[in-house]
Amino acid sequence: FGVKMTEVKKEELKYMTLKEVYEATKTSTRYVQEEIRRKNLRAFKLGKRLLFSPDEVLKWIKKKAA
């Protein structure tokens, strides 16, 4: 990847869970999952968990607010 693990800071590895996203946006899990399906919100799976980049969530919120 071109990045050494020693260069990665702990806070850069923090991702949001599905629960954190719907609680922060005051929506439902169903709505967030539908937005992923529609490709309006990007997420990735790690095992059984859906994870979200906080930057992607903020972009999504701003887009919805516009």
Side-chain angles (χ1 to χ4, degrees):
F1 293 119
V3 177
K4 296 177 184 174
M5 283 305 293
T6 56
E7 296 173 359
V8 177
K9 296 182 176 111
K10 183 179 177 184
E11 59 271 11
E12 293 173 351
L13 297 175
K14 175 67 175 134
Y15 287 93
M16 296 176 75
T17 64
L18 177 61
K19 182 178 179 182
E20 290 171 330
V21 172
Y22 76 77
E23 286 178 348
T25 59
K26 298 187 179 15
T27 60
S28 66
T29 57
R30 186 179 204 150
Y31 179 74
V32 174
Q33 290 171 329
E34 187 65 22
E35 287 292 280
I36 295 166
R37 189 185 67 72
R38 292 181 183 145
K39 301 193 187 298
N40 292 330
L41 178 60
R42 293 175 58 187
F44 66 94
K45 277 190 115 174
L46 184 62
K48 294 182 180 182
R49 297 174 62 186
L50 273 176
L51 296 177
F52 303 81
S53 163
D55 291 337
E56 289 294 324
V57 174
L58 286 174
K59 286 179 196 174
W60 174 65
I61 291 169
K62 287 178 183 178
K63 186 176 175 183
K64 286 295 183 183

